[in-house]
Amino acid sequence: MFDRRTLLRAGGTAAAGALGAAALTSAQQAAAAPLPAHGHPDGPVDPTDPTAGVTRTLLQQHPSPAKGWAAVQTLVQIPRHKQSGRHSHPGVEVGYIIRGDVLMEFDDAPALRLRTGDPFFIPSGAIHNALNVGTVTTMMLSTYVVDETKPLVTTY
């Protein structure tokens, strides 16, 4: 069995995705909403698409203690010079920059410069965009507490 901490530190994303899927029951996998993805960050990336290569790998999803809410955890990867695209979530996002440098832009708040090791918090419904301003593929661990009846990501 893989040690998830070691896997994330080493950047073993393919195995992390498989490990995350294995950790879900079949009912949880069926209930998990598909996450938008634009290809693999290590594969060919369309230079004209600012979100090409961005991936969100579902690691786990569980019911929250609060009825009607779910706790969801993802590994987000953003290739160099790419961005997540403007989006929001139907609940809070608590995150951690595993690797890389990000400019987290908000529609209604000042931008935040985040580097490897920085935590971040995004309020429910806040429209934001994560722009990779570093020299490597950025890896972010994002945990959400969201309304289980709504899609995890709404793009703008």
Side-chain angles (χ1 to χ4, degrees):
M1 186 56 120
F2 293 102
D3 173 18
R4 189 183 306 261
R5 260 188 226 144
T6 303
L7 197 58
L8 290 176
R9 277 191 211 128
T13 57
L19 181 60
L24 298 175
T25 67
S26 58
Q28 287 169 325
Q29 287 177 6
L35 302 178
H38 303 284
H40 193 277
D42 296 328
V45 174
D46 178 356
T48 63
D49 180 356
T51 62
V54 174
T55 61
R56 289 181 180 90
T57 303
L58 178 65
L59 299 177
Q60 58 181 327
Q61 179 172 345
H62 303 281
S64 169
K67 185 176 170 123
W69 293 82
V72 179
Q73 190 170 59
T74 66
L75 177 64
V76 179
Q77 295 186 80
I78 305 172
R80 291 177 52 207
H81 310 298
K82 296 297 179 175
Q83 58 189 301
S84 64
R86 291 175 62 245
H87 66 283
S88 66
H89 309 284
V92 298
E93 177 180 358
V94 179
Y96 178 78
I97 307 298
I98 297 169
R99 177 182 71 200
D101 296 293
V102 172
L103 185 63
M104 190 70 71
E105 303 169 318
F106 297 91
D107 278 13
D108 298 327
L112 295 174
R113 176 70 186 256
L114 302 167
R115 294 175 173 86
T116 301
D118 285 344
F120 61 92
F121 177 85
I122 300 176
S124 180
I127 299 172
H128 58 287
N129 178 47
L131 174 62
N132 182 341
V133 293
T135 60
V136 299
T137 295
T138 294
M139 293 176 65
M140 301 186 297
L141 181 63
S142 290
T143 303
Y144 312 88
V145 178
V146 292
D147 181 333
E148 65 183 16
T149 66
K150 297 184 178 172
L152 180 62
V153 179
T154 299
T155 57
Y156 298 93

